Amino acid sequence: QVQLVESGGGYVQAGDSLRVSCAASGRTSSSYAMGWFRQAPGKEREFVAAIGWRGTARYYADSVKGRFTISRDNANNTVYLQMNSLKPEDTAVYYCAARLSYSAYAYYTDTREYEHWGQGIQVTVSS
C-alpha cells in the first residue's frame, strides 16, 4: 500500500505563488506515475497536472498551462506542484494521486486511472 500526504497549501493573494508537495510512503517505487487534481466546492474533481515516473513526461490542464509546474524527486519520494500567478479560480482542495506505470513516459489525466490518493490540501486564492 502507498500512502500520500500533501503539504504546503494555504491562503494567498491573486498573483502570488505557492508550492504544494506530496510525500509518498509505504510500498513506494519510482515506477509510479503521479498526478495532481483539484476539487472546488460544488464541482467535480478535475485534472491539473501529471508526470511520468522518469520525470520527463509532463502534461497540464489548459487552465494552468504556463503557470503551474509539476516536478518530482524520486530519491525522496516527493512530487511538487509549483503554482505561479495564482487566480481566485484556482481555489480548491488539491489532491495528489499515484499509480504504477510500466512506461517511464506515460502520464494519466483521468481520476479513474489512479490507484492511490492523498487526503487533499486546501489552497485559497483571494482577489
Side-chain angles (χ1 to χ4, degrees):
Q1 190 69 6
V2 174
Q3 292 80 43
L4 303 174
V5 178
E6 299 95 339
S7 62
Y11 182 99
V12 296
Q13 302 287 325
D16 284 352
S17 298
L18 194 66
R19 188 178 79 164
V20 290
S21 304
C22 172
S25 61
R27 296 185 64 180
T28 58
S29 165
S30 59
S31 300
Y32 276 88
M34 305 292 293
W36 284 98
F37 292 78
R38 66 187 182 187
Q39 188 166 17
K43 295 187 177 181
E44 292 189 353
R45 193 170 298 188
E46 65 174 6
F47 168 75
V48 175
I51 189 168
W53 62 255
R54 192 179 293 276
T56 53
R58 310 179 193 192
Y59 190 75
Y60 299 91
D62 287 343
S63 59
V64 306
K65 200 172 296 182
R67 299 188 298 122
F68 290 14
T69 302
I70 188 170
S71 61
R72 64 189 298 160
D73 178 355
N74 287 341
N76 291 300
N77 296 319
T78 303
V79 175
Y80 305 97
L81 184 68
Q82 176 67 44
M83 302 182 288
N84 298 329
S85 302
L86 282 161
K87 305 176 181 179
E89 50 264 44
D90 294 319
T91 295
V93 176
Y94 282 71
Y95 296 90
C96 172
R99 62 155 288 158
L100 275 173
S101 175
Y102 297 103
S103 168
Y105 305 102
Y107 52 79
Y108 304 89
T109 62
D110 192 321
T111 57
R112 295 168 294 182
E113 296 177 297
Y114 285 89
E115 302 159 334
H116 309 285
W117 290 86
Q119 81 288 350
I121 192 162
Q122 179 69 45
V123 172
T124 302
V125 185
S126 66
S127 58

